[in-house]
Amino acid sequence: MTSSPPTSSTHLRYFVERMDCADCARTVQSALTRLPGVDAPQVNFTTQTLSLTLDEARLPRERLEQTLRSLGYPPTLQSPNPTSTAPLRYFVNNMDCADCANKVQGVVTRLPGVSEPKVNFTTQTLSLTLDEARTPRAQLEQTLRSIGYPPELQGEVNPAPGTASISAPRPARVELPWYRTSKGRNVLLTGALLALAFVFSLIAPSLGFWAYAAAIAIGVWPLLRKAVASARLGEPFTINTLISVAAIGAIAIGEAAEGALVVFLFAIGELLENVAAGRARAGIQALAALAPKTALLLEGGQTREVPVEQLQVGQLVRVQPGGRVPADGTITEGDSNLDDSPVTGESVPVHKSAGDTVYAGSINTDGVLTVRVERGASDNTIARIIHLVEEAESSKAPTARFIDRFSRWYTPAAMAVAFLFAVLPPLLFGQPWNEWIYKGVALLLIACPCALVLSVPAAVTSGISAGARRGLLIKGGAALETIGSVSTVAFDKTGTLTENKPQVTDVIGLRAPEQEVVLLAAAVETGSAHPLAKAILARAQGQAVPAAQDAKAISGKAVTATVQGRALAVGSPRYAVEVASLSPDEQAQIARLEEQGKTVVVVLDGRQVLGLLAIRDEPRADAKEAVARLKGLGVRSLMLTGDNARTGNAIARDLGLDVEAELLPEDKLQRIAALKASGKVAMVGDGINDAPALAQSDVGIAMGGGTDVALETADAALLRHSVTGVAELVELSRAVMTNIRQNVAFALGLKAIFLVTTLLGITGLWPAILSDTGATVLVTANALRLLRFKPGV
C-alpha cells in the first residue's frame, strides 16, 4: 500500500491593484481559470480582492503573482483568514487642512468594515478600526493614495483591557521647508507654468491662449485625478471638483489666462493652509520633545546611561542639577526645586523632597535627586497629554459639526446655482453665453468652502494647544465650546478649594506651655495615619518628641498613651467633656475656634486639660482670587461639601462664595441637576470622590496634577495646583468662540462681497478665487492668534 503524496494546496487572498471594474474582474478570472493548480478563484472588483486555492506543487505562488502583474494587476498577499478587526493609526501625507480631513473621513467612512474613523489634520493622523475580512488593509491604503493622501502605518493599537489607548510619544516628524512639500512644489510648478505662458504669449501672441491652456492642463491634472477618484468613492463635490470644473470652463470660454491664474492662486491658498497646520503641529511636537531621550539608571550604587524606553517601573534613576526628569516617579532621596512649567504650566519652581511626585520633562534646577520610576515612557504624563490633546483636536465641537453638515449641501447647491446662472439667462433671455458662463465659473470659485470649513477647527485646535501649554487640558471641541457658556461653577471643598493638607493653626496652652502641649500631643499621635495626627506631627517636626508607650485609639473620640509616666489623651471636645471638667472660658475658646471652621483637639493629662490645638485644611492661596475672577466673568461660584455646615460656612465666608454643606454624594448629584435647570453648570473636583458629580454636570473639571483619574474622568483637567485655572478655562473658551465667530464672518463676508461684484461684472475669475484664498489667510492668521492666549488680557 502506498501513501498519498502530501497536499501542497494553500488558500490565498490577495488585494489586486487596478482591478476596480467588472471588466477587470472578468479579465483576472479568465486568466486564472487557465492556470494549472488554481482552484475556485473568486474575484470581487468592489473590494478589489481575489480568493483562491493554489496547489504550489503545480504552480509556484511567485508565478501566479507574476502572471497578475503582467496583466497590469499587481497583487498584495493578505492574511489567509483575516478574521480580526485591528485598530490602526496612520500618518496621512498632504492631509493638512480641514477640507482634506473631511474628504478623507467621508471616503473612509464609506468603506465596508471601517468603524470609528477619527481624523486630525493638525497631526495629520487617521485612527480607525478595520475589519480586514471586509476591506483589506491594502485596499484602504490604496483608496487614500488614489485621492491624493498617501498613508503611512504608524502601528496597531491594542491596549490592555481597562487601560487607556496611549502610545509612547512618537518621534516628531521633521517639518520640511514649504518649497519641499508637495503643495510647495505645486505652487512652484504652477507659478513657473504661468510665468512661461506669459512669456510665450509675448513672443507669440497668437499662441498665447494655448500656452495658458497648457499651463492649466498641467496644473489642474493632479486636482482632476483626485476629483475623479473622490467621485468614484462617493465624494463628488470636493474642492478639487470645483477648481477642476472652473479651470476647464475657463478654457472653454477663452479665458485661459485667468484660468491659469486661478490654478496658481488656489495652489497658494492650499500652501498657506499647510504652513498654518505646521505651526499648530509644532506645539504638539514641542510637547513630545520635553522628555529626555536618555536616563541615568542607578544600579548597585553606579549609574549608566540608558534610553528612556528601556526604563522599567520600580527602577531608580539619578537626576542631576539642570537635567530633565526622565520618567514619572517618586523622589526617594534628595530635595530640589523643580520647574514643572513645561508640563503643568506652574509659573515658579516647586520645592520637592522625598515622597513627592515628579513628572517626566520637569527641569531639576539645583539638587541631586534619586527617583523611583512609576510609569514607563509610553504611559508618562507627557505621553498622556499628547494623546489627550490629539484626541481633543479630533473631537469636533457642535459648531464644527454644524458647519460640516452645512458644507455638505452647500457645495453641491453652489455648483447647481452656478450652473443655473451660466445657462438660464442665455436660454431664457437671450443673454450672451460667454458672459454668463464666465459669471457661472466665477461663482463656482466663490463657492469654494475652504475658509468656511477651516474656520472652526483652526480655532479649536489653536485653543486646545494654547490650553495644553498652560496646564489646561480640554478633552474635545464640545467641552471647549461649553465651558465658556456656564453660568455656575460648583466646587468641591477638600482638595479643590482647600489644599487637603490640614495644618495646626492655633496652639493654646492652658496648664502647660504651648511648646509642651505640641510635643506631648505629637508623642501620643506618633505612628498614626490620621490626617489630624499628621498635622500635629508636622507642627512638631524638628523638635525632640518624647517616646510614648501603650498607645490606644478610642474610635471616633481620642488616642491615649503613656508619656514620661503621664497618662495622656488627645481627643475631641466631646471626649474631653466626658472625662474632664471644662471651664466656661475653655468651652468659649473651643466654640470660637470652631466658628472659624477649625477642628479643635484637646490635650488631656488624666482629668486635667493641658491645652488646645486648632487644625484646619486651609484654602488654596489662589482660591479667593479664582472666585473673584469668575465673578468678574459673570459666573456664580458655589461650594458643595460633605463637611459640617460650620466649617463650610467659615471657608466660604473667607473666599466670598455661596455654600451648601453636609451633602452626601447623591445630594451633590441632585443639586447639580437642580442647578442645570437654570443654566449650564461646571463641576470642579479632585477627580476621585467627585466622579459622579463631574459626570452629571455639563462640564466636569478635575483638579489632579496629572493623576490618572484627573486625566481620564472629566471633560477638562487642571494639571497645575491652581484653582485660578477654572477662570482661565472660561476665558479661553470665550476667546475661542469669539475667534470662531470672527472666522465665519471673514469667510462668508468676503464671499458675499465678491458674489455681488461678480454678478455686477466688476470682478472676474481670479478675484473670485482670491476671495477664498484671502479668507483662508485671514481665518488662519486669526486662529493662530490663540496660540498666544494670555488669561486676563
Side-chain angles (χ1 to χ4, degrees):
M1 178 179 177
T2 60
S3 59
S4 59
T7 180
S8 57
S9 295
T10 307
H11 182 71
L12 302 175
R13 181 185 175 94
Y14 287 96
F15 172 78
V16 184
E17 291 188 39
R18 304 176 196 147
M19 188 186 69
D20 48 15
C21 66
D23 185 62
C24 301
R26 281 193 297 271
T27 300
V28 170
Q29 178 112 20
S30 176
L32 291 177
T33 53
R34 290 195 293 268
L35 291 176
V38 173
D39 185 37
Q42 295 181 342
V43 294
N44 186 331
F45 70 87
T46 305
T47 59
Q48 294 181 255
T49 55
L50 161 65
S51 299
L52 54 85
T53 301
L54 179 66
D55 183 351
E56 296 194 58
R58 301 176 62 195
L59 181 72
R61 188 181 308 179
E62 292 77 11
R63 185 179 166 194
L64 166 71
E65 295 172 356
Q66 179 58 39
T67 299
L68 290 171
R69 280 193 290 270
S70 68
L71 291 171
Y73 303 103
T76 302
L77 184 65
Q78 302 296 301
S79 169
N81 295 296
T83 57
S84 63
T85 55
L88 303 174
R89 181 186 177 92
Y90 287 96
F91 176 84
V92 184
N93 290 282
N94 304 332
M95 189 187 70
D96 46 22
C97 68
D99 184 64
C100 302
N102 287 340
K103 194 185 307 176
V104 168
Q105 176 122 16
V107 167
V108 168
T109 301
R110 289 181 173 84
L111 292 176
V114 172
S115 60
E116 302 175 4
K118 294 180 181 179
V119 293
N120 187 335
F121 73 87
T122 305
T123 56
Q124 292 182 256
T125 53
L126 163 66
S127 300
L128 52 84
T129 300
L130 179 65
D131 182 354
E132 295 196 60
R134 302 177 64 192
T135 296
R137 190 178 307 182
Q139 182 191 351
L140 167 70
E141 296 169 0
Q142 177 59 29
T143 297
L144 291 172
R145 280 193 292 270
S146 72
I147 60 172
Y149 302 102
E152 296 176 23
L153 185 64
Q154 291 191 318
E156 297 185 22
V157 184
N158 292 306
T163 63
S165 172
I166 300 176
S167 57
R170 289 166 295 283
R173 284 181 168 267
V174 177
E175 287 290 332
L176 296 174
W178 68 267
Y179 54 85
R180 291 181 56 191
T181 65
S182 63
K183 293 186 178 180
R185 290 194 298 268
N186 192 33
V187 166
L188 295 176
L189 173 64
T190 54
L193 292 171
L194 182 63
L196 287 173
F198 175 73
V199 172
F200 194 81
S201 67
L202 295 178
I203 298 172
S206 61
L207 299 176
F209 171 84
W210 297 109
Y212 284 115
I216 290 177
I218 296 172
V220 87
W221 171 246
L223 304 179
L224 182 61
R225 189 175 58 192
K226 293 176 187 177
V228 171
S230 296
R232 285 175 47 211
L233 294 165
E235 288 283 320
F237 301 108
T238 65
I239 184 68
N240 294 321
T241 304
L242 290 179
I243 299 299
S244 299
V245 171
I248 294 170
I251 295 176
I253 59 175
E255 298 290 346
E258 284 199 66
L261 186 58
V262 163
V263 173
F264 176 60
L265 289 175
F266 174 74
I268 290 178
E270 287 219 307
L271 176 63
L272 290 173
E273 288 188 46
N274 189 18
V275 172
R279 288 280 303 277
R281 277 194 297 276
I284 295 177
Q285 291 175 355
L287 282 175
L290 287 177
K293 301 296 183 288
T294 60
L296 292 176
L297 180 63
L298 187 61
E299 293 178 323
Q302 302 294 319
T303 61
R304 63 184 178 93
E305 193 171 62
V306 299
V308 291
E309 291 82 6
Q310 295 181 9
L311 292 179
Q312 303 294 321
V313 174
Q315 290 181 325
L316 297 178
V317 293
R318 179 71 50 81
V319 186
Q320 302 289 4
R324 288 186 183 270
V325 178
D328 286 7
T330 303
I331 298 174
T332 61
E333 186 179 337
D335 63 274
S336 178
N337 292 308
L338 283 104
D339 180 2
D340 290 340
S341 60
V343 182
T344 67
E346 292 278 3
S347 57
V348 296
V350 180
H351 185 79
K352 296 186 179 183
S353 56
D356 289 331
T357 298
V358 293
Y359 308 118
S362 294
I363 302 170
N364 180 23
T365 62
D366 38 52
V368 177
L369 298 176
T370 300
V371 175
R372 182 177 62 249
V373 176
E374 303 290 353
R375 292 186 183 278
S378 64
D379 198 27
N380 64 33
T381 300
I382 291 175
R384 301 169 77 83
I385 291 173
I386 292 172
H387 171 76
L388 289 172
V389 169
E390 290 182 352
E391 287 292 303
E393 291 174 346
S394 299
S395 173
K396 294 184 177 180
T399 303
R401 290 195 294 269
F402 169 76
I403 287 182
D404 281 350
R405 290 194 300 270
F406 173 76
S407 65
R408 288 187 183 279
W409 64 261
Y410 162 81
T411 303
M415 292 186 71
V417 170
F419 175 76
L420 293 176
F421 264 95
V423 300
L424 289 184
L427 287 176
L428 300 180
F429 307 107
Q431 297 292 312
W433 278 98
N434 266 23
E435 177 185 341
W436 284 95
I437 290 177
Y438 182 90
K439 290 181 179 180
V441 171
L443 289 180
L444 268 186
L445 298 174
I446 293 171
C448 290
C450 283
L452 182 63
V453 173
L454 182 67
S455 59
V456 178
V460 169
T461 296
S462 295
I464 289 173
S465 298
R469 293 179 183 180
R470 302 191 60 84
L472 311 174
L473 278 188
I474 307 161
K475 296 164 69 175
L480 179 61
E481 187 171 316
T482 304
I483 292 170
S485 61
V486 298
S487 57
T488 302
V489 174
F491 292 93
D492 177 51
K493 179 179 77 69
T494 305
T496 302
L497 290 173
T498 66
E499 294 282 1
N500 198 21
K501 296 178 180 177
Q503 300 176 3
V504 174
T505 58
D506 301 85
V507 180
I508 300 174
L510 298 175
R511 294 175 180 82
E514 291 182 3
Q515 185 176 4
E516 182 181 352
V517 171
V518 172
L519 293 176
L520 292 176
V524 175
E525 296 283 10
T526 299
S528 173
H530 194 281
L532 298 183
K534 290 182 178 180
I536 294 171
L537 292 168
R539 182 61 178 262
Q541 189 173 8
Q543 303 180 61
V545 177
Q549 293 84 36
D550 302 324
K552 297 178 182 178
I554 303 173
S555 181
K557 294 184 177 181
V559 177
T560 63
T562 301
V563 180
Q564 298 175 340
R566 302 160 71 181
L568 301 181
V570 177
S572 65
R574 186 178 60 191
Y575 172 79
V577 170
E578 294 176 2
V579 300
S581 177
L582 299 179
S583 68
D585 182 57
E586 292 167 349
Q587 292 181 9
Q589 289 189 48
I590 291 172
R592 176 177 56 80
L593 293 170
E594 290 183 335
E595 286 294 333
Q596 297 173 14
K598 300 172 181 177
T599 300
V600 179
V601 171
V602 183
V603 182
L604 299 157
D605 182 355
R607 297 176 59 84
Q608 190 178 47
V609 179
L610 298 181
L612 307 175
L613 298 175
I615 302 171
R616 190 168 85 160
D617 183 11
E618 290 295 294
R620 292 181 183 270
D622 62 346
K624 190 170 185 177
E625 178 192 351
V627 172
R629 285 178 62 176
L630 286 171
K631 185 176 182 180
L633 293 168
V635 179
R636 177 196 178 201
S637 297
L638 172 67
M639 184 168 70
L640 303 179
T641 178
D643 212 338
N644 66 76
R646 188 157 43 192
T647 299
N649 285 323
I651 297 288
R653 188 167 53 250
D654 289 347
L655 299 181
L657 77 166
D658 299 327
V659 62
E660 295 187 25
E662 301 181 5
L663 299 177
L664 297 173
E666 53 267 30
D667 297 329
K668 288 186 180 182
L669 290 178
Q670 293 175 2
R671 288 301 302 133
I672 293 290
L675 290 168
K676 287 173 69 175
S678 57
K680 292 182 179 178
V681 179
M683 175 69 193
V684 187
D686 59 16
I688 301 172
N689 300 324
D690 302 301
L694 291 172
Q696 174 78 11
S697 60
D698 293 294
V699 181
I701 303 172
M703 295 278 298
T707 61
D708 286 347
V709 179
L711 290 175
E712 303 296 343
T713 306
D715 302 300
L718 309 180
L719 291 187
R720 68 184 191 272
H721 296 277
S722 174
V723 75
T724 54
V726 179
E728 293 178 8
L729 281 173
V730 174
E731 292 173 356
L732 177 60
S733 171
R734 293 182 180 180
V736 169
M737 294 310 298
T738 298
N739 195 281
I740 287 173
R741 286 190 287 270
Q742 293 169 345
N743 286 348
V744 172
F746 290 150
L748 296 180
L750 277 176
K751 289 182 183 298
I753 292 171
F754 280 91
L755 173 64
V756 173
T757 57
T758 297
L759 294 178
L760 293 176
I762 299 173
T763 56
L765 292 185
W766 70 263
I769 189 61
L770 192 61
S771 72
D772 192 67
T773 302
T776 297
V777 172
L778 288 174
V779 165
T780 301
N782 194 43
L784 289 176
R785 288 192 308 113
L786 289 168
L787 294 175
R788 300 191 297 272
F789 167 77
K790 292 182 180 179
V793 177

